[in-house]
Amino acid sequence: MADFFHMGGYAIYVWSSYGLALLVLVGLLLASLGTLRRKERLLRSLEQTLPRRRRRAGAGDAGGEETP
């Protein structure tokens, strides 16, 4: 098992590469989550400040009958 972790003398390069890749992925995840939360807060504030839009009558209604 020690030979596996030693990796023929290249362990420092292999494990540091894995560590750096993991660090970058975690950083990207945290940055993405932070951006998502900021955008959600912005959306909520915009939805609260803007007036409510009315729906047009008949737009998207499935209840109306169509004539052939």
Side-chain angles (χ1 to χ4, degrees):
M1 192 65 151
D3 288 335
F4 172 74
F5 289 112
H6 188 257
M7 300 205 171
Y10 296 103
I12 189 72
Y13 304 110
V14 173
W15 293 114
S16 63
S17 297
Y18 277 121
L20 183 61
L22 181 64
L23 183 68
V24 168
L25 289 174
V26 168
L28 285 171
L29 176 68
L30 294 176
S32 297
L33 289 174
T35 301
L36 175 66
R37 288 189 180 116
R38 277 193 303 275
K39 298 287 183 177
E40 286 176 338
R41 277 195 308 266
L42 176 63
L43 178 62
R44 274 194 303 272
S45 69
L46 288 174
E47 285 176 339
Q48 289 174 355
T49 58
L50 294 177
R52 195 99 180 167
R53 293 178 65 184
R54 291 186 179 189
R55 295 177 108 187
R56 288 187 287 162
D61 285 342
E65 290 185 28
E66 295 182 16
T67 56

